[in-house]
Amino acid sequence: MTSNLLDYDLEGLAAFCEGLGEKRFRATQLFRWIHQKGATGFDQMTDLAKSLREKLPASAHIQSLKVVSRHDSADGTIKWLFDVGAGDVIETVFIPESDRGTLCISSQAGCAVGCRFCSTGHQGFSRNLTTAEIIGQLWFAEHFLRTHLGRDERVVSNVVMMGMGEPLQNYSQLLPALRVMLDDHAYGLSRRRVTVSTSGVVPMMDRLAQDCPVALAVSLHAPDDELRSNLVPLNRKYPIDDLLQACSRYQLAAPRDFITFEYCMLDGVNDQPEHAHQLVALMRKHSNEGLSCKFNLIPFNPFPASGLKRSGMPQVMAFAKILMDAGMVTTVRKTRGDDIDAACGQLAGDVQDRTGVQKRIASQRQGMLKGIKVVSKEVGV
Ligand code: SF4
């Protein structure tokens, strides 16, 4: 069996080259061909020695992901479903804006965390994605979009790990993928343009701070442990105080950054003025530890199994005002790609419902809005 070169960061590729008896600098050449030029065949790599080009196919290949379908929204959002085998399907979403192009990437097929408001969580967990499957989403989207949009220069300017899955529960495969995103010989994204979103896997937040302190978004969704444990079951293991202390430690590794807190607005559940005041008190308490933050208030996309409803806009704006009056940077998000069910888990759930019952659910508008994956515009705040 040959190695998929999308599985390697530059260091891994250098070790692979050394294993073939080649100099390490060959890895840099290969890396550029694969990630910057989108090459899939070694015969395209004209500056590699002919002997190496002839040797590589016996031990290596470059394999991205198999597209199941592509969905283009009227607002320019594009969503792909990729087949990762054994009936598992993952989602990747490109969200164009005037000043950036954001790609939302999945890290797992399904998710084990089981947040109440998340369609992916309701589908259950299947497996971790490999590094090749994680970076393959960026590889595919970047090179597809350059051709599709007729552009020579980079199209994806930001990556958010906010698709299906909890990235920090797939750390060993995530880390090399992040390193490829940041590598100047590959995508050359700055640390602040790559965001990992977590539901709060505290020990792995500490690891990420040391290994690769990219931007961090935390799915908070509640101001107290009782409510958060109900919405985000992982809170029972890592309660809010532990989580916010980990956020403060994270900022030691990225001192000029802030932590983004995602807050999905659920009607009558977590959207009352007292919840906003509790959040203000919570953040004030932890600001003494050096925590600086901003809030994204996210509209919920209802789906029947959740038993939850979207908060009305007056409620959302009143909530935002309390946070802003307390000096917190707060953004109210708006959905993108509504016409293509671009919210997390919607289309994959259409292909396979991992609760065991095959059923068509896209028509039921399943799913949630997860962070900035399917949102982008500020509305009136
Ligand atoms: S919100 Fe994220 S962590 Fe929670 S179930 Fe959905 S994918 Fe998993």
Short mmCIF file of all heavy atoms in Angstrom, two decimals, residues 176-230:
data_model
loop_
_atom_site.label_atom_id
_atom_site.label_comp_id
_atom_site.label_asym_id
_atom_site.label_seq_id
_atom_site.Cartn_x
_atom_site.Cartn_y
_atom_site.Cartn_z
N PRO A 176 -1.21 17.89 12.42
CA PRO A 176 -0.48 18.01 11.15
C PRO A 176 -1.26 18.82 10.11
O PRO A 176 -0.68 19.58 9.34
CB PRO A 176 -0.29 16.56 10.69
CG PRO A 176 -0.49 15.73 11.91
CD PRO A 176 -1.44 16.47 12.78
N ALA A 177 -2.60 18.67 10.12
CA ALA A 177 -3.41 19.42 9.15
C ALA A 177 -3.28 20.92 9.41
O ALA A 177 -3.15 21.72 8.47
CB ALA A 177 -4.87 18.97 9.23
N LEU A 178 -3.31 21.32 10.68
CA LEU A 178 -3.15 22.75 11.00
C LEU A 178 -1.77 23.24 10.54
O LEU A 178 -1.64 24.34 10.00
CB LEU A 178 -3.28 22.98 12.52
CG LEU A 178 -4.66 22.72 13.14
CD1 LEU A 178 -4.60 22.93 14.65
CD2 LEU A 178 -5.73 23.62 12.52
N ARG A 179 -0.77 22.40 10.74
CA ARG A 179 0.59 22.82 10.34
C ARG A 179 0.69 23.00 8.83
O ARG A 179 1.39 23.89 8.36
CB ARG A 179 1.60 21.79 10.84
CG ARG A 179 1.78 21.91 12.35
CD ARG A 179 2.82 20.95 12.89
NE ARG A 179 3.13 21.29 14.28
CZ ARG A 179 3.39 20.40 15.23
NH1 ARG A 179 3.37 19.11 14.95
NH2 ARG A 179 3.67 20.79 16.45
N VAL A 180 -0.01 22.17 8.08
CA VAL A 180 -0.02 22.34 6.62
C VAL A 180 -0.71 23.66 6.26
O VAL A 180 -0.23 24.42 5.40
CB VAL A 180 -0.73 21.15 5.92
CG1 VAL A 180 -0.80 21.39 4.41
CG2 VAL A 180 -0.01 19.84 6.23
N MET A 181 -1.82 23.96 6.94
CA MET A 181 -2.53 25.22 6.65
C MET A 181 -1.62 26.43 6.86
O MET A 181 -1.65 27.39 6.09
CB MET A 181 -3.75 25.36 7.57
CG MET A 181 -4.84 24.35 7.29
SD MET A 181 -6.14 24.43 8.55
CE MET A 181 -6.93 22.83 8.34
N LEU A 182 -0.77 26.38 7.91
CA LEU A 182 0.07 27.53 8.25
C LEU A 182 1.37 27.58 7.46
O LEU A 182 2.02 28.63 7.41
CB LEU A 182 0.42 27.51 9.75
CG LEU A 182 -0.73 27.48 10.77
CD1 LEU A 182 -0.20 27.73 12.17
CD2 LEU A 182 -1.79 28.53 10.47
N ASP A 183 1.77 26.48 6.88
CA ASP A 183 3.10 26.39 6.26
C ASP A 183 3.19 27.29 5.02
O ASP A 183 2.35 27.21 4.12
CB ASP A 183 3.39 24.94 5.88
CG ASP A 183 4.87 24.69 5.69
OD1 ASP A 183 5.48 25.38 4.83
OD2 ASP A 183 5.42 23.82 6.37
N ASP A 184 4.26 28.09 4.97
CA ASP A 184 4.43 28.99 3.83
C ASP A 184 4.65 28.25 2.51
O ASP A 184 4.43 28.81 1.44
CB ASP A 184 5.62 29.93 4.07
CG ASP A 184 5.24 31.04 5.04
OD1 ASP A 184 4.03 31.28 5.22
OD2 ASP A 184 6.16 31.63 5.64
N HIS A 185 5.09 27.00 2.60
CA HIS A 185 5.26 26.22 1.37
C HIS A 185 3.96 25.53 0.95
O HIS A 185 3.93 24.84 -0.07
CB HIS A 185 6.35 25.17 1.56
CG HIS A 185 7.69 25.77 1.85
ND1 HIS A 185 8.36 26.56 0.95
CD2 HIS A 185 8.47 25.72 2.96
CE1 HIS A 185 9.50 26.97 1.48
NE2 HIS A 185 9.58 26.48 2.70
N ALA A 186 2.90 25.71 1.77
CA ALA A 186 1.61 25.12 1.42
C ALA A 186 0.58 26.25 1.28
O ALA A 186 0.58 26.95 0.28
CB ALA A 186 1.19 24.11 2.49
N TYR A 187 -0.25 26.48 2.30
CA TYR A 187 -1.31 27.49 2.17
C TYR A 187 -0.92 28.83 2.79
O TYR A 187 -1.53 29.85 2.49
CB TYR A 187 -2.61 26.96 2.80
CG TYR A 187 -3.03 25.69 2.11
CD1 TYR A 187 -2.63 24.46 2.62
CD2 TYR A 187 -3.71 25.73 0.90
CE1 TYR A 187 -2.94 23.28 1.95
CE2 TYR A 187 -4.02 24.56 0.22
CZ TYR A 187 -3.63 23.34 0.76
OH TYR A 187 -3.91 22.19 0.08
N GLY A 188 0.06 28.84 3.68
CA GLY A 188 0.61 30.08 4.22
C GLY A 188 -0.40 30.94 4.95
O GLY A 188 -0.30 32.17 4.95
N LEU A 189 -1.39 30.31 5.60
CA LEU A 189 -2.38 31.10 6.35
C LEU A 189 -1.77 31.55 7.67
O LEU A 189 -1.05 30.78 8.31
CB LEU A 189 -3.63 30.27 6.62
CG LEU A 189 -4.40 29.80 5.38
CD1 LEU A 189 -5.52 28.85 5.77
CD2 LEU A 189 -4.97 30.99 4.62
N SER A 190 -2.10 32.76 8.08
CA SER A 190 -1.56 33.22 9.36
C SER A 190 -2.32 32.53 10.49
O SER A 190 -3.46 32.08 10.31
CB SER A 190 -1.67 34.73 9.49
OG SER A 190 -2.96 35.08 9.88
N ARG A 191 -1.69 32.47 11.64
CA ARG A 191 -2.25 31.80 12.81
C ARG A 191 -3.65 32.33 13.15
O ARG A 191 -4.51 31.59 13.59
CB ARG A 191 -1.28 32.06 13.96
CG ARG A 191 -1.30 31.17 15.12
CD ARG A 191 -0.18 31.53 16.07
NE ARG A 191 -0.12 32.94 16.42
CZ ARG A 191 -0.96 33.55 17.25
NH1 ARG A 191 -1.93 32.87 17.79
NH2 ARG A 191 -0.84 34.84 17.51
N ARG A 192 -3.84 33.62 12.95
CA ARG A 192 -5.13 34.22 13.31
C ARG A 192 -6.22 33.95 12.29
O ARG A 192 -7.38 34.24 12.51
CB ARG A 192 -4.98 35.73 13.50
CG ARG A 192 -4.18 36.09 14.73
CD ARG A 192 -4.25 37.58 15.02
NE ARG A 192 -3.52 37.90 16.22
CZ ARG A 192 -2.23 38.17 16.26
NH1 ARG A 192 -1.52 38.14 15.15
NH2 ARG A 192 -1.62 38.46 17.40
N ARG A 193 -5.83 33.43 11.15
CA ARG A 193 -6.84 33.13 10.11
C ARG A 193 -7.25 31.67 10.09
O ARG A 193 -7.94 31.22 9.18
CB ARG A 193 -6.29 33.55 8.73
CG ARG A 193 -6.26 35.05 8.57
CD ARG A 193 -5.70 35.43 7.22
NE ARG A 193 -5.74 36.87 7.02
CZ ARG A 193 -6.74 37.50 6.42
NH1 ARG A 193 -7.77 36.82 5.96
NH2 ARG A 193 -6.71 38.81 6.27
N VAL A 194 -6.77 30.94 11.07
CA VAL A 194 -7.19 29.54 11.23
C VAL A 194 -7.80 29.42 12.62
O VAL A 194 -7.15 29.73 13.62
CB VAL A 194 -5.99 28.58 11.09
CG1 VAL A 194 -6.41 27.14 11.38
CG2 VAL A 194 -5.37 28.68 9.69
N THR A 195 -9.05 29.02 12.67
CA THR A 195 -9.77 28.95 13.94
C THR A 195 -10.17 27.52 14.26
O THR A 195 -10.78 26.84 13.42
CB THR A 195 -11.06 29.82 13.89
OG1 THR A 195 -10.68 31.17 13.61
CG2 THR A 195 -11.82 29.76 15.21
N VAL A 196 -9.82 27.08 15.45
CA VAL A 196 -10.31 25.80 15.95
C VAL A 196 -11.46 26.09 16.90
O VAL A 196 -11.34 26.91 17.82
CB VAL A 196 -9.21 25.00 16.68
CG1 VAL A 196 -9.80 23.82 17.45
CG2 VAL A 196 -8.18 24.49 15.66
N SER A 197 -12.59 25.44 16.65
CA SER A 197 -13.76 25.60 17.52
C SER A 197 -13.89 24.36 18.39
O SER A 197 -13.83 23.24 17.90
CB SER A 197 -15.00 25.76 16.64
OG SER A 197 -16.16 25.75 17.45
N THR A 198 -14.07 24.59 19.69
CA THR A 198 -14.18 23.45 20.59
C THR A 198 -15.37 23.61 21.53
O THR A 198 -15.74 24.73 21.90
CB THR A 198 -12.89 23.25 21.41
OG1 THR A 198 -13.06 22.10 22.25
CG2 THR A 198 -12.57 24.47 22.27
N SER A 199 -15.93 22.46 21.92
CA SER A 199 -16.97 22.48 22.94
C SER A 199 -16.36 22.47 24.33
O SER A 199 -17.09 22.47 25.31
CB SER A 199 -17.90 21.27 22.74
OG SER A 199 -17.14 20.07 22.75
N GLY A 200 -15.01 22.46 24.40
CA GLY A 200 -14.35 22.61 25.69
C GLY A 200 -13.60 21.39 26.18
O GLY A 200 -13.77 20.98 27.33
N VAL A 201 -12.75 20.83 25.32
CA VAL A 201 -11.91 19.69 25.73
C VAL A 201 -10.65 20.26 26.39
O VAL A 201 -9.62 20.49 25.74
CB VAL A 201 -11.55 18.79 24.52
CG1 VAL A 201 -10.89 17.50 24.99
CG2 VAL A 201 -12.78 18.48 23.69
N VAL A 202 -10.74 20.53 27.67
CA VAL A 202 -9.75 21.35 28.37
C VAL A 202 -8.31 20.84 28.20
O VAL A 202 -7.42 21.64 27.85
CB VAL A 202 -10.14 21.48 29.87
CG1 VAL A 202 -8.98 21.97 30.71
CG2 VAL A 202 -11.33 22.42 30.00
N PRO A 203 -8.00 19.57 28.41
CA PRO A 203 -6.58 19.17 28.30
C PRO A 203 -6.01 19.40 26.90
O PRO A 203 -4.84 19.76 26.76
CB PRO A 203 -6.62 17.66 28.61
CG PRO A 203 -7.92 17.40 29.27
CD PRO A 203 -8.86 18.45 28.79
N MET A 204 -6.86 19.24 25.89
CA MET A 204 -6.37 19.41 24.52
C MET A 204 -6.27 20.89 24.15
O MET A 204 -5.49 21.26 23.27
CB MET A 204 -7.26 18.67 23.53
CG MET A 204 -7.44 17.19 23.82
SD MET A 204 -5.94 16.36 24.39
CE MET A 204 -4.98 16.30 22.88
N MET A 205 -7.03 21.75 24.82
CA MET A 205 -6.83 23.19 24.62
C MET A 205 -5.43 23.57 25.09
O MET A 205 -4.73 24.36 24.44
CB MET A 205 -7.89 23.98 25.41
CG MET A 205 -9.29 23.85 24.83
SD MET A 205 -10.61 24.41 25.96
CE MET A 205 -10.25 26.16 26.10
N ASP A 206 -5.00 22.98 26.21
CA ASP A 206 -3.65 23.26 26.71
C ASP A 206 -2.59 22.73 25.74
O ASP A 206 -1.58 23.39 25.50
CB ASP A 206 -3.46 22.62 28.10
CG ASP A 206 -4.25 23.36 29.17
OD1 ASP A 206 -4.47 24.58 29.03
OD2 ASP A 206 -4.66 22.72 30.17
N ARG A 207 -2.86 21.56 25.17
CA ARG A 207 -1.90 21.01 24.19
C ARG A 207 -1.82 21.92 22.96
O ARG A 207 -0.73 22.22 22.45
CB ARG A 207 -2.35 19.61 23.73
CG ARG A 207 -2.20 18.50 24.74
CD ARG A 207 -0.84 17.80 24.67
NE ARG A 207 -0.49 17.24 23.37
CZ ARG A 207 -0.82 16.01 22.95
NH1 ARG A 207 -1.56 15.24 23.71
NH2 ARG A 207 -0.42 15.58 21.78
N LEU A 208 -2.97 22.34 22.48
CA LEU A 208 -3.00 23.19 21.28
C LEU A 208 -2.26 24.50 21.53
O LEU A 208 -1.55 25.01 20.66
CB LEU A 208 -4.45 23.46 20.86
CG LEU A 208 -4.65 24.18 19.53
CD1 LEU A 208 -4.17 23.32 18.36
CD2 LEU A 208 -6.11 24.57 19.32
N ALA A 209 -2.42 25.05 22.73
CA ALA A 209 -1.73 26.31 23.08
C ALA A 209 -0.23 26.15 22.93
O ALA A 209 0.46 27.07 22.48
CB ALA A 209 -2.09 26.72 24.51
N GLN A 210 0.28 24.99 23.30
CA GLN A 210 1.72 24.76 23.21
C GLN A 210 2.15 24.41 21.79
O GLN A 210 3.19 24.87 21.31
CB GLN A 210 2.15 23.61 24.15
CG GLN A 210 1.89 23.90 25.62
CD GLN A 210 2.42 25.26 26.05
OE1 GLN A 210 3.57 25.62 25.75
NE2 GLN A 210 1.59 26.05 26.72
N ASP A 211 1.36 23.61 21.11
CA ASP A 211 1.77 23.05 19.81
C ASP A 211 1.53 23.98 18.64
O ASP A 211 2.32 24.04 17.70
CB ASP A 211 1.01 21.74 19.54
CG ASP A 211 1.41 20.62 20.50
OD1 ASP A 211 2.50 20.70 21.10
OD2 ASP A 211 0.62 19.67 20.65
N CYS A 212 0.40 24.69 18.67
CA CYS A 212 0.00 25.45 17.48
C CYS A 212 -1.14 26.41 17.86
O CYS A 212 -2.31 26.14 17.59
CB CYS A 212 -0.48 24.46 16.41
SG CYS A 212 -0.69 25.17 14.78
N PRO A 213 -0.80 27.53 18.51
CA PRO A 213 -1.86 28.39 19.07
C PRO A 213 -2.59 29.22 18.01
O PRO A 213 -2.44 30.43 17.92
CB PRO A 213 -1.09 29.28 20.05
CG PRO A 213 0.30 29.32 19.52
CD PRO A 213 0.55 28.03 18.82
N VAL A 214 -3.41 28.55 17.25
CA VAL A 214 -4.26 29.23 16.28
C VAL A 214 -5.40 29.92 17.04
O VAL A 214 -5.52 29.79 18.26
CB VAL A 214 -4.82 28.23 15.25
CG1 VAL A 214 -3.72 27.65 14.38
CG2 VAL A 214 -5.59 27.10 15.94
N ALA A 215 -6.25 30.63 16.31
CA ALA A 215 -7.39 31.30 16.95
C ALA A 215 -8.33 30.24 17.55
O ALA A 215 -8.50 29.16 16.98
CB ALA A 215 -8.14 32.15 15.93
N LEU A 216 -8.91 30.59 18.68
CA LEU A 216 -9.75 29.62 19.39
C LEU A 216 -11.17 30.17 19.53
O LEU A 216 -11.37 31.31 19.95
CB LEU A 216 -9.16 29.35 20.78
CG LEU A 216 -9.80 28.19 21.56
CD1 LEU A 216 -9.48 26.84 20.91
CD2 LEU A 216 -9.32 28.19 23.00
N ALA A 217 -12.14 29.33 19.18
CA ALA A 217 -13.55 29.65 19.42
C ALA A 217 -14.11 28.58 20.36
O ALA A 217 -13.84 27.39 20.17
CB ALA A 217 -14.34 29.66 18.11
N VAL A 218 -14.84 29.00 21.35
CA VAL A 218 -15.37 28.08 22.35
C VAL A 218 -16.89 28.13 22.30
O VAL A 218 -17.49 29.20 22.37
CB VAL A 218 -14.85 28.46 23.76
CG1 VAL A 218 -15.55 27.64 24.83
CG2 VAL A 218 -13.35 28.24 23.84
N SER A 219 -17.50 26.95 22.18
CA SER A 219 -18.96 26.87 22.18
C SER A 219 -19.44 26.95 23.62
O SER A 219 -19.36 25.96 24.35
CB SER A 219 -19.40 25.54 21.57
OG SER A 219 -18.99 25.46 20.24
N LEU A 220 -19.91 28.11 24.03
CA LEU A 220 -20.28 28.30 25.43
C LEU A 220 -21.78 28.02 25.64
O LEU A 220 -22.15 27.12 26.39
CB LEU A 220 -19.92 29.72 25.87
CG LEU A 220 -19.99 29.98 27.37
CD1 LEU A 220 -19.06 29.07 28.15
CD2 LEU A 220 -19.67 31.44 27.69
N HIS A 221 -22.62 28.82 25.06
CA HIS A 221 -24.08 28.57 24.97
C HIS A 221 -24.85 28.66 26.28
O HIS A 221 -26.08 28.53 26.26
CB HIS A 221 -24.38 27.21 24.32
CG HIS A 221 -23.68 26.99 23.03
ND1 HIS A 221 -23.82 27.84 21.96
CD2 HIS A 221 -22.81 26.02 22.62
CE1 HIS A 221 -23.08 27.41 20.95
NE2 HIS A 221 -22.45 26.32 21.34
N ALA A 222 -24.18 28.85 27.40
CA ALA A 222 -24.90 28.98 28.68
C ALA A 222 -23.98 29.64 29.69
O ALA A 222 -22.76 29.47 29.63
CB ALA A 222 -25.33 27.61 29.18
N PRO A 223 -24.58 30.38 30.66
CA PRO A 223 -23.74 31.05 31.65
C PRO A 223 -23.53 30.26 32.94
O PRO A 223 -22.81 30.72 33.82
CB PRO A 223 -24.53 32.33 31.94
CG PRO A 223 -25.96 31.95 31.74
CD PRO A 223 -25.98 30.84 30.72
N ASP A 224 -24.20 29.12 33.10
CA ASP A 224 -24.00 28.35 34.34
C ASP A 224 -23.91 26.86 34.00
O ASP A 224 -24.33 26.42 32.93
CB ASP A 224 -25.13 28.62 35.35
CG ASP A 224 -26.46 28.10 34.86
OD1 ASP A 224 -26.65 26.87 34.86
OD2 ASP A 224 -27.32 28.92 34.47
N ASP A 225 -23.36 26.11 34.95
CA ASP A 225 -23.06 24.70 34.69
C ASP A 225 -24.31 23.86 34.48
O ASP A 225 -24.30 22.94 33.65
CB ASP A 225 -22.22 24.12 35.83
CG ASP A 225 -20.76 24.51 35.70
OD1 ASP A 225 -20.25 24.51 34.56
OD2 ASP A 225 -20.14 24.86 36.71
N GLU A 226 -25.37 24.15 35.21
CA GLU A 226 -26.56 23.31 35.09
C GLU A 226 -27.13 23.38 33.67
O GLU A 226 -27.39 22.37 33.02
CB GLU A 226 -27.62 23.74 36.11
CG GLU A 226 -28.79 22.78 36.16
CD GLU A 226 -29.85 23.23 37.14
OE1 GLU A 226 -29.61 24.19 37.91
OE2 GLU A 226 -30.93 22.62 37.14
N LEU A 227 -27.25 24.61 33.19
CA LEU A 227 -27.81 24.78 31.84
C LEU A 227 -26.83 24.28 30.78
O LEU A 227 -27.21 23.61 29.83
CB LEU A 227 -28.15 26.26 31.61
CG LEU A 227 -28.75 26.62 30.26
CD1 LEU A 227 -30.00 25.80 29.96
CD2 LEU A 227 -29.08 28.12 30.21
N ARG A 228 -25.55 24.58 30.97
CA ARG A 228 -24.58 24.17 29.94
C ARG A 228 -24.46 22.65 29.88
O ARG A 228 -24.32 22.08 28.79
CB ARG A 228 -23.21 24.82 30.20
CG ARG A 228 -22.24 24.58 29.05
CD ARG A 228 -21.04 25.49 29.04
NE ARG A 228 -20.31 25.37 27.79
CZ ARG A 228 -19.32 24.50 27.57
NH1 ARG A 228 -18.90 23.73 28.54
NH2 ARG A 228 -18.74 24.43 26.38
N SER A 229 -24.51 21.99 31.02
CA SER A 229 -24.44 20.52 31.00
C SER A 229 -25.63 19.93 30.26
O SER A 229 -25.51 18.88 29.61
CB SER A 229 -24.41 19.97 32.42
OG SER A 229 -23.22 20.35 33.06
N ASN A 230 -26.75 20.63 30.32
CA ASN A 230 -27.94 20.17 29.61
C ASN A 230 -27.78 20.35 28.09
O ASN A 230 -28.24 19.52 27.31
CB ASN A 230 -29.14 20.96 30.13
CG ASN A 230 -30.43 20.53 29.49
OD1 ASN A 230 -30.78 21.04 28.42
ND2 ASN A 230 -31.11 19.58 30.11
#
